[in-house]
């Protein structure tokens, strides 16, 4: 951005504290932060009562959903998010290179892409130098091959900590359920705990950097606290902080996401874990779904929300 800008009397989020003051920008570079910046600028904004933050980084965006990167990144910037990280469909170095090439010149925000683990692409994962991380889907987490991946990978492992086989078995226990409010019963707390325990055991055994994408319940927080593994970080997605289980009455199938939105005690525990830094990251889990797929009768509705 060419020219000068001053934002006056905003709440400024600095690295070590929050203060009220002015911030000046010259040709896209912050030039001064002070209680009062003297002089004038080409553009001056009144920040009274508002917060001014650095550009946000969203670490959990579904780039293979119904938006292209150009559309998604433009919306991200409007939301104050200047970097998005996530995955499309690449499972090989060649596919990842193609995705990165396609993104050149189309994105308004900075971006980084993960490469997806499968049951048989370990060699590709180890050699994918341009991948920001390895996305570990649930079917890989619950497989025997997860041992080799956690042992050999030198990249950050971003884990979608679910156990699809367990969830499928639970769904079979409730064949007549067609109310989306029952979704937390199918993908229950015990299933979330089992998946988180599996990821933590592998991380502790092999010592690699591991990031859990979507802690959603109080019992998972207890596991994280007990494990206390330095190389493990964990995130909470926005819906689990802003909703309790009431949205099913109002939104029906449009409230269906995975893991499910749970009750108030879980939401309160997630906020507490953030305040204590047990959870290190807030992410969007942005996964937009077109209306016809969201409006299918439960349980055939497609999980996901546009949360960026």
């Amino acid at each position: 951005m060419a020219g000068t800008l001053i934002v006056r009397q905003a709440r400024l989020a600095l690295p070590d504290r929050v203060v009220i003051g002015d911030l000046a920008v010259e040709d896209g570079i912050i030039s001064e932060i002070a209680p009062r910046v003297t002089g004038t600028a080409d553009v001056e904004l009144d920040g009274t009562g508002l917060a001014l933050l650095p550009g946000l980084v969203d670490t959990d965006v579904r780039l293979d959903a119904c938006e292209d990167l150009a559309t998604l990144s433009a919306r991200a910037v409007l939301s104050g998010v200047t970097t998005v990280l996530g995955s499309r469909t690449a499972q090989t170095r060649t596919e990842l290179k193609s995705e990165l090439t396609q993104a050149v010149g189309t994105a308004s925000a900075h971006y980084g892409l993960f490469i997806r683990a499968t049951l048989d692409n370990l060699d590709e994962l180890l050699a994918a130098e341009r991948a920001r991380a390895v996305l570990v889907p649930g079917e890989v987490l619950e497989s025997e091959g997860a041992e080799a991946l956690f042992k050999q990978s030198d990249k950050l492992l971003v884990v979608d900590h679910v156990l699809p086989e367990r969830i499928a078995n639970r769904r079979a226990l409730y064949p007549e359920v067609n109310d989306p409010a029952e979704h937390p019963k199918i993908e229950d707390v015990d299933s979330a705990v089992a998946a988180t325990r599996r990821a933590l055991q592998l991380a502790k055994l092999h010592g690699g950097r591991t990031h859990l994408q979507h802690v959603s319940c109080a019992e998972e927080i207890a596991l994280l606290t007990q494990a206390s593994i330095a190389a493990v970080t964990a995130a909470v997605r926005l819906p689990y902080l802003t909703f309790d289980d009431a949205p099913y009455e109002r939104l029906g199938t449009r409230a269906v996401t995975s893991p499910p939105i749970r009750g108030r005690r879980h939401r309160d525990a997630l906020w507490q874990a953030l305040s204590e830094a047990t959870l290190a990251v807030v992410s969007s889990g942005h996964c937009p779904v077109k209306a016809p797929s969201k409006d299918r009768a439960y349980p055939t509705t497609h999980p996901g929300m546009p949360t960026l």
Side-chain angles (χ1 to χ4, degrees):
M1 182 186 76
T4 57
L5 164 71
I6 297 177
V7 180
R8 297 205 180 271
Q9 297 306 290
R11 296 177 64 231
L12 307 175
L14 305 182
D16 57 346
R17 65 194 188 284
V18 176
V19 300
I20 295 177
D22 294 356
L23 181 142
V25 177
E26 294 184 14
D27 295 328
I29 304 296
I30 295 174
S31 58
E32 185 178 359
I33 297 174
R36 296 280 182 180
V37 171
T38 58
T40 60
D42 299 331
V43 177
E44 297 200 14
L45 302 176
D46 182 6
T48 303
L50 302 176
L52 182 58
L53 305 173
L56 301 176
V57 177
D58 195 333
T59 63
D60 185 9
V61 174
R62 286 289 297 271
L63 298 171
D64 63 331
C66 61
E67 299 167 305
D68 57 33
L69 184 58
T71 301
L72 182 144
S73 62
R75 292 173 178 171
V77 171
L78 288 173
S79 305
V81 175
T82 55
T83 301
V84 292
L85 299 172
S87 64
R88 296 181 71 185
T89 60
Q91 300 174 0
T92 68
R93 287 167 289 172
T94 300
E95 291 170 351
L96 181 65
K97 181 179 179 180
S98 176
E99 289 181 354
L100 289 167
T101 300
Q102 292 171 23
V104 172
T106 65
S108 304
H110 300 292
Y111 57 88
L113 299 181
F114 306 155
I115 186 170
R116 287 176 174 265
T118 69
L119 298 177
D120 58 2
N121 71 339
L122 181 57
D123 289 344
E124 290 286 344
L125 303 179
L126 297 178
E129 296 180 357
R130 300 181 68 185
R132 291 297 182 184
V134 174
L135 178 67
V136 184
E139 61 267 20
V140 175
L141 176 66
E142 68 183 358
S143 72
E144 294 181 359
E147 289 279 355
L149 174 57
F150 275 74
K151 181 178 181 179
Q152 297 183 46
S153 178
D154 60 353
K155 297 179 179 65
L156 172 67
L157 300 179
V158 175
V159 183
D160 181 10
H161 46 117
V162 295
L163 300 178
E165 185 176 346
R166 178 189 172 99
I167 291 171
N169 290 337
R170 285 197 56 77
R171 198 176 302 282
L173 295 175
Y174 302 94
E176 304 302 322
V177 167
N178 57 13
D179 181 354
E182 300 288 343
H183 186 46
K185 181 187 292 185
I186 307 299
E187 295 193 33
D188 64 337
V189 168
D190 287 346
S191 295
V193 168
T196 299
R197 181 179 290 114
R198 166 74 168 161
L200 290 175
Q201 287 172 342
L202 289 167
K204 184 174 183 179
L205 180 62
H206 300 295
R209 294 180 300 140
T210 304
H211 179 69
L212 306 184
Q213 273 192 315
H214 47 66
V215 173
S216 65
C217 62
E219 286 78 359
E220 288 177 281
I221 295 166
L223 274 182
L224 287 166
T225 303
Q226 182 180 4
S228 188
I229 304 171
V232 173
T233 55
V236 56
R237 290 172 173 169
L238 288 172
Y240 310 132
L241 294 173
T242 54
F243 291 126
D244 55 23
D245 49 5
Y248 295 107
E249 299 176 13
R250 186 171 77 256
L251 300 176
T253 55
R254 297 197 177 200
V256 173
T257 186
S258 183
I261 296 167
R262 307 190 191 277
R264 185 178 297 265
R265 79 173 180 90
H266 297 292
R267 186 185 67 178
D268 293 345
L270 293 167
W271 277 107
Q272 183 66 26
L274 274 177
S275 70
E276 297 172 352
T278 304
L279 296 175
V281 177
V282 177
S283 63
S284 70
H286 179 71
C287 182
V289 179
K290 292 184 177 180
S293 297
K294 286 302 294 183
D295 292 340
R296 290 187 214 146
Y298 183 81
T300 63
T301 186
H302 196 297
M305 288 185 178
T307 48
L308 185 68

